[in-house]
PDB file of all heavy atoms in Angstrom:
ATOM      1  N   THR I 373     -32.720  24.535   1.669  1.00 96.00           N
ATOM      2  CA  THR I 373     -33.473  23.928   0.529  1.00 96.00           C
ATOM      3  C   THR I 373     -33.224  22.386   0.459  1.00 96.00           C
ATOM      4  O   THR I 373     -34.133  21.649   0.138  1.00 96.00           O
ATOM      5  CB  THR I 373     -33.249  24.561  -0.759  1.00 96.00           C
ATOM      6  OG1 THR I 373     -31.860  24.540  -1.101  1.00 96.00           O
ATOM      7  CG2 THR I 373     -33.819  26.017  -0.745  1.00 96.00           C
ATOM      8  N   GLU I 374     -32.004  22.029   0.575  1.00 97.00           N
ATOM      9  CA  GLU I 374     -31.635  20.624   0.582  1.00 97.00           C
ATOM     10  C   GLU I 374     -32.227  19.778   1.688  1.00 97.00           C
ATOM     11  O   GLU I 374     -32.699  18.750   1.498  1.00 97.00           O
ATOM     12  CB  GLU I 374     -30.037  20.435   0.464  1.00 97.00           C
ATOM     13  CG  GLU I 374     -29.397  20.775  -0.844  1.00 97.00           C
ATOM     14  CD  GLU I 374     -27.937  20.638  -0.822  1.00 97.00           C
ATOM     15  OE1 GLU I 374     -27.355  20.358   0.298  1.00 97.00           O
ATOM     16  OE2 GLU I 374     -27.330  20.905  -1.872  1.00 97.00           O
ATOM     17  N   ALA I 375     -32.271  20.437   2.829  1.00 97.00           N
ATOM     18  CA  ALA I 375     -32.995  19.787   4.060  1.00 97.00           C
ATOM     19  C   ALA I 375     -34.430  19.553   3.712  1.00 97.00           C
ATOM     20  O   ALA I 375     -34.970  18.440   3.949  1.00 97.00           O
ATOM     21  CB  ALA I 375     -32.703  20.625   5.236  1.00 97.00           C
ATOM     22  N   LEU I 376     -34.990  20.671   3.301  1.00 97.00           N
ATOM     23  CA  LEU I 376     -36.459  20.547   2.874  1.00 97.00           C
ATOM     24  C   LEU I 376     -36.793  19.457   1.912  1.00 97.00           C
ATOM     25  O   LEU I 376     -37.718  18.763   1.950  1.00 97.00           O
ATOM     26  CB  LEU I 376     -37.004  21.918   2.520  1.00 97.00           C
ATOM     27  CG  LEU I 376     -37.042  22.966   3.605  1.00 97.00           C
ATOM     28  CD1 LEU I 376     -37.364  24.353   2.984  1.00 97.00           C
ATOM     29  CD2 LEU I 376     -38.101  22.627   4.669  1.00 97.00           C
ATOM     30  N   GLU I 377     -35.871  19.433   0.847  1.00 96.00           N
ATOM     31  CA  GLU I 377     -36.145  18.355  -0.130  1.00 96.00           C
ATOM     32  C   GLU I 377     -36.034  16.979   0.273  1.00 96.00           C
ATOM     33  O   GLU I 377     -36.700  16.136   0.056  1.00 96.00           O
ATOM     34  CB  GLU I 377     -35.167  18.621  -1.401  1.00 96.00           C
ATOM     35  CG  GLU I 377     -35.474  19.894  -2.199  1.00 96.00           C
ATOM     36  CD  GLU I 377     -34.479  20.343  -3.182  1.00 96.00           C
ATOM     37  OE1 GLU I 377     -33.315  19.620  -3.134  1.00 96.00           O
ATOM     38  OE2 GLU I 377     -34.638  21.279  -3.924  1.00 96.00           O
ATOM     39  N   LYS I 378     -35.022  16.768   1.207  1.00 97.00           N
ATOM     40  CA  LYS I 378     -34.808  15.503   1.783  1.00 97.00           C
ATOM     41  C   LYS I 378     -36.004  15.146   2.712  1.00 97.00           C
ATOM     42  O   LYS I 378     -36.464  13.954   2.722  1.00 97.00           O
ATOM     43  CB  LYS I 378     -33.508  15.463   2.605  1.00 97.00           C
ATOM     44  CG  LYS I 378     -33.169  14.017   3.172  1.00 97.00           C
ATOM     45  CD  LYS I 378     -31.754  14.131   3.947  1.00 97.00           C
ATOM     46  CE  LYS I 378     -31.513  12.722   4.358  1.00 97.00           C
ATOM     47  NZ  LYS I 378     -30.210  12.718   5.095  1.00 97.00           N
ATOM     48  N   ILE I 379     -36.506  16.125   3.325  1.00 97.00           N
ATOM     49  CA  ILE I 379     -37.754  15.879   4.187  1.00 97.00           C
ATOM     50  C   ILE I 379     -38.911  15.295   3.440  1.00 97.00           C
ATOM     51  O   ILE I 379     -39.710  14.546   3.844  1.00 97.00           O
ATOM     52  CB  ILE I 379     -38.033  17.094   5.049  1.00 97.00           C
ATOM     53  CG1 ILE I 379     -36.979  17.345   6.101  1.00 97.00           C
ATOM     54  CG2 ILE I 379     -39.394  17.019   5.655  1.00 97.00           C
ATOM     55  CD1 ILE I 379     -37.066  18.769   6.688  1.00 97.00           C
ATOM     56  N   GLY I 380     -39.069  15.796   2.095  1.00 95.00           N
ATOM     57  CA  GLY I 380     -40.082  15.486   1.316  1.00 95.00           C
ATOM     58  C   GLY I 380     -40.911  16.643   0.687  1.00 95.00           C
ATOM     59  O   GLY I 380     -41.838  16.495   0.003  1.00 95.00           O
ATOM     60  N   TYR I 381     -40.324  17.877   0.956  1.00 95.00           N
ATOM     61  CA  TYR I 381     -40.906  19.088   0.328  1.00 95.00           C
ATOM     62  C   TYR I 381     -40.155  19.377  -0.952  1.00 95.00           C
ATOM     63  O   TYR I 381     -39.539  20.423  -1.018  1.00 95.00           O
ATOM     64  CB  TYR I 381     -40.817  20.261   1.329  1.00 95.00           C
ATOM     65  CG  TYR I 381     -41.892  20.093   2.579  1.00 95.00           C
ATOM     66  CD1 TYR I 381     -41.411  20.030   3.811  1.00 95.00           C
ATOM     67  CD2 TYR I 381     -43.160  20.053   2.341  1.00 95.00           C
ATOM     68  CE1 TYR I 381     -42.283  19.816   4.814  1.00 95.00           C
ATOM     69  CE2 TYR I 381     -44.163  19.833   3.305  1.00 95.00           C
ATOM     70  CZ  TYR I 381     -43.661  19.798   4.591  1.00 95.00           C
ATOM     71  OH  TYR I 381     -44.490  19.603   5.599  1.00 95.00           O
ATOM     72  N   PHE I 382     -40.210  18.506  -1.917  1.00 91.00           N
ATOM     73  CA  PHE I 382     -39.660  18.955  -3.210  1.00 91.00           C
ATOM     74  C   PHE I 382     -40.719  19.594  -3.994  1.00 91.00           C
ATOM     75  O   PHE I 382     -41.874  19.867  -3.550  1.00 91.00           O
ATOM     76  CB  PHE I 382     -39.245  17.585  -3.881  1.00 91.00           C
ATOM     77  CG  PHE I 382     -40.362  16.664  -4.141  1.00 91.00           C
ATOM     78  CD1 PHE I 382     -40.936  16.542  -5.369  1.00 91.00           C
ATOM     79  CD2 PHE I 382     -40.739  15.722  -3.203  1.00 91.00           C
ATOM     80  CE1 PHE I 382     -41.878  15.698  -5.673  1.00 91.00           C
ATOM     81  CE2 PHE I 382     -41.878  14.864  -3.458  1.00 91.00           C
ATOM     82  CZ  PHE I 382     -42.421  14.813  -4.669  1.00 91.00           C
ATOM     83  N   ASN I 383     -40.480  19.840  -5.219  1.00 87.00           N
ATOM     84  CA  ASN I 383     -41.464  20.561  -6.100  1.00 87.00           C
ATOM     85  C   ASN I 383     -42.518  19.560  -6.531  1.00 87.00           C
ATOM     86  O   ASN I 383     -42.625  19.128  -7.728  1.00 87.00           O
ATOM     87  CB  ASN I 383     -40.887  21.157  -7.331  1.00 87.00           C
ATOM     88  CG  ASN I 383     -41.758  21.986  -8.124  1.00 87.00           C
ATOM     89  OD1 ASN I 383     -42.798  22.488  -7.728  1.00 87.00           O
ATOM     90  ND2 ASN I 383     -41.346  22.147  -9.441  1.00 87.00           N
ATOM     91  N   ASN I 384     -43.537  19.192  -5.613  1.00 91.00           N
ATOM     92  CA  ASN I 384     -44.454  18.125  -5.807  1.00 91.00           C
ATOM     93  C   ASN I 384     -45.597  18.775  -6.548  1.00 91.00           C
ATOM     94  O   ASN I 384     -46.401  19.580  -5.972  1.00 91.00           O
ATOM     95  CB  ASN I 384     -44.896  17.598  -4.416  1.00 91.00           C
ATOM     96  CG  ASN I 384     -45.908  16.390  -4.565  1.00 91.00           C
ATOM     97  OD1 ASN I 384     -46.296  16.203  -5.644  1.00 91.00           O
ATOM     98  ND2 ASN I 384     -46.071  15.750  -3.517  1.00 91.00           N
ATOM     99  N   PRO I 385     -45.769  18.362  -7.826  1.00 92.00           N
ATOM    100  CA  PRO I 385     -46.988  19.000  -8.649  1.00 92.00           C
ATOM    101  C   PRO I 385     -48.356  18.504  -8.121  1.00 92.00           C
ATOM    102  O   PRO I 385     -49.352  19.052  -8.624  1.00 92.00           O
ATOM    103  CB  PRO I 385     -46.693  18.337  -9.994  1.00 92.00           C
ATOM    104  CG  PRO I 385     -45.937  17.156  -9.782  1.00 92.00           C
ATOM    105  CD  PRO I 385     -45.094  17.302  -8.520  1.00 92.00           C
TER     106      PRO I 385
END
Side-chain angles (χ1 to χ4, degrees):
T373 55
E374 287 178 356
L376 290 170
E377 287 170 355
K378 185 177 180 181
I379 288 167
Y381 288 116
F382 62 99
N383 186 21
N384 186 350

